[in-house]
Amino acid sequence: IERDPFFPVPKVSASSLVLNGILWDEVKPTAIINNEIVQVGQSVNGKVVVGIWKDKVILSDGSNEVDLKMYEE
């Protein structure tokens, strides 16, 4: 299902992280977390973005990973 990247989406939070949106691109995906634009390798709230997919972002603090999903399952 294609989603308009500018259409408001539900915000999902995990330990003070809020996934505001994902701007999907196979070459250079971008996520908006806590209203901050980030890409793989950048950090937000002490966690490094290790992966961005169409429906989720994975962050790591070095020992634990956090999945932020666009929609609750």
Side-chain angles (χ1 to χ4, degrees):
I1 297 174
E2 290 295 319
R3 183 179 58 79
D4 182 345
F6 300 104
F7 187 80
V9 295
K11 294 178 181 176
V12 179
S13 65
S15 67
S16 76
L17 295 170
V18 177
L19 178 58
N20 304 107
I22 294 173
L23 304 173
W24 176 248
D25 180 86
E26 287 187 24
V27 177
K28 200 170 187 177
T30 303
I32 304 170
I33 302 173
N34 292 357
N35 295 315
E36 185 177 330
I37 298 171
V38 293
Q39 294 177 328
V40 174
Q42 294 182 312
S43 63
V44 60
N45 257 29
K47 299 190 186 314
V48 177
V49 178
V50 293
I52 300 173
W53 287 267
K54 291 180 182 180
D55 62 343
K56 70 179 179 179
V57 177
I58 298 179
L59 300 110
S60 174
D61 64 5
S63 57
N64 296 308
E65 288 191 347
V66 174
D67 285 17
L68 297 178
K69 296 183 180 178
M70 287 301 301
Y71 302 100
E72 295 281 355
E73 294 179 1

